[in-house]
Each structure stands twice: as structure tokens, then as C-alpha cells.
């Protein structure tokens, strides 16, 4: 009888600990890809769940999904040639998607600026081909009427303000 009570107590504490850990664990969300635009060789989307205003800049993830066309093959050749020049042994022949972490802001004169923080290339099976941190110290001007500008406006629609965490 005492042995049974100990088991019940241990099970109860384990269940209580599990529920407690779920309450403090970080919440994860599946990507919510929203269409931005399409060309004859790719479809560009923004993950609405990652759109955040942080210190006056818009942070979000975007996806460039390549379809089998000449433009995709041209992009593969450019990536492959750059890899060879850099002495990297990376095979981009099965490239299907590029996912980028972007940060953008709009100056008072209306000019858009951007910085790419991270890029990951995926193959047709969803495996990572290559991944690189692309953070540079300076923002670059985003050309008007570009795909990047369209990404900015879609991300802006879904952006939430990141609230500072409280320290207690």
C-alpha cells in the first residue's frame, strides 16, 4: 500500500513537472508562408509568423522557391561558379528553394534599405545544400519596384512589434 502511494506520488509529480515545463518552454510556430510574387522561374513568399518590427527595422524570413525553368538553371550556374571560385565543394544542381532572413527599414525620404542576415539553400528533397550567415555591417539600398520592395510591403502588413522581455 505504501509502495503504491509512492508510485502515485511520483507519477503525479512527473505530470505536474511536465505541465509546468510546457508553460515555460518557448512557443514555436509553424511557418505561415504568404505569397508575394511569382516570376517565370520562382515563387517568392514571406513567413507572416516571423514579421517583426525591432528597433525601427522590419525583420522577416522569405522563401524563393525555384521551378524548373531556364532562370533556375542560370541561378544554379551562378551559385556553382561562385562556389568553385571560393574553393567550396558544394553541389547546387538540385537547388529548389532559398530561405533568407532579411532586415529592412525605410528612411524618412522613402528609400528602402536591406541587409541579409542568413541564407539557406535547400534541394528538391528539403535537405540543406549550404547555409551561410550573411550579416554585413552596412545596409544596402533596395532598388525601387524590385522583388525586395514587394517583400517589404507584404512583411510590413503582417509585422508585429517585438516587446522587450521583462527582467524580474
Amino acid at each position: 500500500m505504501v509502495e503504491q502511494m509512492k508510485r502515485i506520488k511520483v507519477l503525479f509529480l512527473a505530470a505536474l513537472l511536465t505541465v509546468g515545463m510546457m508553460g515555460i518552454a518557448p512557443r514555436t510556430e509553424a511557418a505561415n508562408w504568404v505569397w508575394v510574387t511569382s516570376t517565370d522561374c520562382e515563387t517568392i513568399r514571406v513567413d507572416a509568423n516571423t514579421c517583426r518590427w525591432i528597433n525601427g527595422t522590419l525583420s522577416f524570413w522569405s522563401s524563393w522557391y525555384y521551378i524548373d525553368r531556364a532562370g533556375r538553371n542560370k541561378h544554379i550556374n551562378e551559385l556553382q561558379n561562385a562556389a568553385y571560385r571560393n574553393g567550396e565543394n558544394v553541389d547546387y544542381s538540385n537547388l529548389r528553394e532559398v530561405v533568407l532572413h532579411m532586415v529592412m527599414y525605410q528612411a524618412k525620404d522613402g528609400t528602402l534599405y536591406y541587409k541579409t542576415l542568413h541564407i539557406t539553400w535547400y534541394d528538391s528533397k528539403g535537405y540543406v545544400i549550404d547555409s551561410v550567415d550573411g550579416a554585413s555591417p552596412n545596409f544596402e539600398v533596395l532598388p525601387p519596384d524590385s522583388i525586395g520592395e514587394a517583400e517589404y510591403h507584404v512583411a510590413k502588413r503582417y509585422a508585429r512589434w517585438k516587446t522587450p522581455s521583462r527582467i524580474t
Side-chain angles (χ1 to χ4, degrees):
M1 182 76 152
V2 173
E3 197 64 33
Q4 254 184 338
M5 290 301 285
K6 283 184 181 179
R7 286 185 186 151
I8 291 172
K9 186 177 180 181
V10 167
L11 286 173
F12 176 75
L13 289 174
L16 190 60
L17 179 64
T18 301
V19 171
M21 292 301 288
M22 288 172 55
I24 63 170
R27 189 170 149 243
T28 59
E29 299 175 338
N32 179 17
W33 295 111
V34 178
W35 181 84
V36 174
T37 190
S38 293
T39 70
D40 59 347
C41 66
E42 69 249 336
T43 296
I44 295 88
R45 302 170 299 167
V46 166
D47 179 7
N49 291 344
T50 63
C51 300
R52 300 279 188 282
W53 287 106
I54 303 169
N55 297 328
T57 63
L58 179 59
S59 172
F60 63 92
W61 289 84
S62 70
S63 162
W64 290 53
Y65 185 85
Y66 291 91
I67 53 181
D68 289 318
R69 300 269 170 105
R72 173 182 167 261
N73 293 333
K74 179 183 174 200
H75 188 70
I76 288 172
N77 289 336
E78 290 169 357
L79 287 168
Q80 203 65 65
N81 290 336
Y84 291 143
R85 278 194 308 275
N86 294 333
E88 299 169 355
N89 186 20
V90 181
D91 180 13
Y92 290 98
S93 61
N94 289 320
L95 175 68
R96 181 59 63 206
E97 183 175 21
V98 180
V99 175
L100 307 99
H101 182 192
M102 306 287 294
V103 179
M104 297 183 180
Y105 76 92
Q106 189 166 24
K108 291 183 190 232
D109 67 359
T111 305
L112 289 172
Y113 294 88
Y114 78 99
K115 188 188 303 190
T116 303
L117 300 180
H118 188 84
I119 305 170
T120 304
W121 292 269
Y122 294 92
D123 68 11
S124 57
K125 294 181 180 177
Y127 294 110
V128 173
I129 295 172
D130 198 9
S131 184
V132 65
D133 287 325
S136 64
N138 301 318
F139 280 83
E140 297 179 40
V141 174
L142 189 65
D145 301 321
S146 64
I147 291 173
E149 182 180 10
E151 288 176 306
Y152 173 82
H153 290 296
V154 170
K156 190 167 122 175
R157 256 186 285 165
Y158 292 94
R160 297 177 292 229
W161 287 95
K162 180 178 166 89
T163 55
S165 57
R166 294 184 188 188
I167 299 173
T168 55

